[in-house]
Amino acid sequence: MIHLVLLGPPGAGKGTQAERLAAHYGLEHLSTGAMFRHHIGRQTRLGRLAKGYMDKGRLVPDELTTDMLKEAVSRHVDVKGFVFDGFPRTLAQASALDDFLDQSGACVLKALSLEVADADLLARLRKRAREGARIDDSDERVIRDRIAAYYEKRAPLVGYYRGRDKLESIDGTGSIDAISAHLIRIVDRALPC
Ligand code: ADP
């Protein structure tokens, strides 16, 4: 099994690269943000709860997020592994993910952190908003709050993976192809856990 984690602020390109990694290695791409948007669209109880946080640019509480993620993982049987996109975002989530994977003798192979400067992130998110891809990108204040929420939690999260020798920081600027190639080189070289 190959389990990859993609870290990075909103607009860093996690979704794009997660999709590419999933296609390259034959893995399932799981995005907690996409799952929440799906719940919001279907107006489920979880969707209503999550919306309250997301509309303010805040993180959805750990327990709700982790339970949803575990449920999604459990639904996929006979898969080669997962690319986790937007999860974990907090230390508690990282540790819950490890405990969960550990139950089946699995672990995170690499945590790939896409680094992009704030000015570039804002430009990308504004463009995404103009293209109408994501309604949550249209409010500049919410965008800034989302970026701030990421950095508020980042240090312990990154420290967690660094301490376990799993962290790889990658420059998230440049062509999408070049970044994918870089990520694939890293994953190919990673030793199984
Ligand atoms: P972005 O990274 O561009 O903000 P996402 O689709 O990953 O986009 O997430 C959108 C929103 O969903 C986040 O701002 C947050 O409110 C919520 N969310 C997604 N993943 C998590 C998570 N792991 N923990 C808590 N909240 C999350």
Side-chain angles (χ1 to χ4, degrees), residues 65-102:
T65 309
T66 303
D67 286 351
M68 175 182 73
L69 190 276
K70 287 186 192 171
E71 201 259 319
V73 169
S74 307
R75 242 186 294 128
H76 290 86
V77 280
D78 287 337
V79 296
K80 284 196 196 164
F82 296 93
V83 184
F84 298 105
D85 158 14
F87 185 95
R89 263 181 159 92
T90 65
L91 185 59
Q93 291 180 12
S95 146
L97 178 62
D98 273 357
D99 290 348
F100 182 60
L101 294 178
D102 193 46

Side-chain angles (χ1 to χ4, degrees), residues 139-157:
D139 184 331
E140 179 93 19
R141 216 185 51 218
V142 174
I143 289 180
R144 287 180 188 275
D145 287 348
R146 271 164 48 208
I147 295 175
Y150 172 75
Y151 284 110
E152 195 187 304
K153 305 285 182 191
R154 181 182 189 275
L157 189 56

Side-chain angles (χ1 to χ4, degrees), residues 15 41 130 137 152-153 175 177 190:
R130 277 199 303 277
D137 291 330
E152 195 187 304
K153 305 285 182 191
S175 82
D177 283 347

Side-chain angles (χ1 to χ4, degrees), residues 4 17-29 83:
L4 301 172
Q17 296 299 338
E19 234 168 69
R20 287 172 158 238
L21 286 169
H24 184 85
Y25 293 106
L27 308 175
E28 291 294 321
H29 171 197
V83 184

